[in-house]
Amino acid sequence: MNLNLTGVHLDITPAIRAYVVSKLERVNRHFDHVIDVNVVLSVDKLQQRIEANVHVRGKDIHAEAVEPDMYAAIDCLADKLNRQVLKYKEKLVAHRTDRAEIERSLVVPTPPGQPAE
């Protein structure tokens, strides 16, 4: 997973970087196919904003959070990304199982005692 952190009107300290990395590892733990993550941290007076674009195979996931505290914003963003990645993963799994069920339903089993054609 490639992680790009950008700060707008903000110096990214090692503590903030470590906190973001630890929170985003949860997303990577749920879904292994994360290619790239772009995170933008910004400060506007009393609002701390964090935005993230997660590039996974087949989709780009975007989330943002605005809180008065940067660490609270990071927590909120991590929760949002976690929900979105799990939802995407469930859609992929459901799509695969639907196809397998359709293929199984197309194969008509022959009743016992009758020769297969």
Side-chain angles (χ1 to χ4, degrees):
M1 170 176 81
N2 294 330
L3 177 65
N4 297 325
L5 282 174
T6 305
V8 177
H9 303 294
L10 172 75
D11 292 328
I12 299 175
T13 63
I16 290 177
R17 178 180 294 277
Y19 195 70
V20 169
V21 168
S22 68
K23 289 294 181 174
L24 290 180
E25 282 178 0
R26 187 169 62 171
V27 171
N28 200 22
R29 182 176 28 168
H30 288 298
F31 193 65
D32 293 334
H33 304 292
V34 176
I35 299 169
D36 193 22
V37 179
N38 296 321
V39 179
V40 178
L41 302 146
S42 62
V43 176
D44 293 326
K45 293 188 181 180
L46 299 176
Q47 293 184 340
Q48 315 288 323
R49 175 185 302 266
I50 181 169
E51 301 176 21
N53 290 318
V54 178
H55 180 67
V56 295
R57 188 172 55 190
K59 185 169 178 126
D60 287 332
I61 298 172
H62 176 77
E64 70 177 76
V66 178
E67 295 286 334
D69 181 35
M70 183 59 77
Y71 289 98
I74 293 169
D75 288 339
C76 185
L77 177 88
D79 291 339
K80 287 180 181 181
L81 280 176
N82 195 27
R83 282 193 303 266
Q84 288 184 11
V85 166
L86 285 177
K87 185 176 179 181
Y88 177 66
K89 184 178 177 182
E90 288 173 4
K91 281 184 179 180
L92 286 179
V93 171
H95 179 70
R96 289 183 190 144
T97 57
D98 288 344
R99 183 186 302 167
E101 289 175 6
I102 290 170
E103 289 174 357
R104 274 191 241 126
S105 68
L106 291 177
V107 176
V108 178
T110 58
Q114 291 185 355
E117 295 178 9

